[in-house]
Amino acid sequence: MSDETGPGVPAGPQPEPLRFFGTTWVQHDHGYAARRIAAAAGSLAAAAAACLVLRLTYEGLRISETGGIVTLLMVVMFTICSALAFRHTWDGFTRRPDPDRQASLRGLLAVGFVGSLLAYFFRTLIEAPGEKLHREEYETARKQHEKRTIRRSGNPKKRRRS
């Protein structure tokens, strides 16, 4: 939340822009619904393309006759990593992730990218991903700003001293 004022910028905290949505999530204006539809379609298309790539990888392993255990391990690995990535991404839409934990899970999230894409798709059906978290933070910042400006209103020189 920035607290910059200038020409054309209202006083007080400004909403933080979301990826693909900018600040349209605040008032649900300027193509918000179209952006949600496009983001949902894009993430679903990316997830489908990712599944196609995984399918080709699976076929490559099968053709190379590496053995059933290697193929099974690959399928299990992608399944578990995708499930964990889905959960981690879904939780990231409702609370700020811990940067240290995020760094330690980077490899898992890269392997489970299908889960992250699906989480983004399902969240976009409900709202802009991260909208609830950003709205709560923005409303809190606006209320705090209003309290500060109400307490400081008026000219302090005109106040009577007791």
Side-chain angles (χ1 to χ4, degrees), residues 19-87:
R19 181 181 294 157
F20 305 124
F21 294 92
T23 57
T24 61
W25 60 268
V26 178
Q27 299 293 328
H28 292 192
D29 57 355
H30 302 295
Y32 172 81
R35 289 175 191 226
R36 273 190 47 203
I37 291 168
S43 60
L44 187 60
C51 287
L52 178 64
V53 169
L54 290 177
R55 173 71 180 174
L56 293 173
T57 304
Y58 173 80
E59 289 297 322
L61 283 174
R62 208 181 77 192
I63 291 171
S64 68
E65 297 177 359
T66 56
I69 190 75
V70 173
T71 305
L72 178 68
L73 286 174
M74 189 203 77
V75 170
V76 169
M77 175 194 64
F78 275 107
T79 303
I80 290 173
C81 289
S82 290
L84 292 172
F86 180 93
R87 183 63 186 179

Side-chain angles (χ1 to χ4, degrees), residues 96-112:
R96 294 274 179 187
D98 178 30
D100 294 332
R101 185 169 185 262
Q102 187 82 9
S104 68
L105 291 176
R106 187 169 291 137
L108 180 127
L109 294 173
V111 172

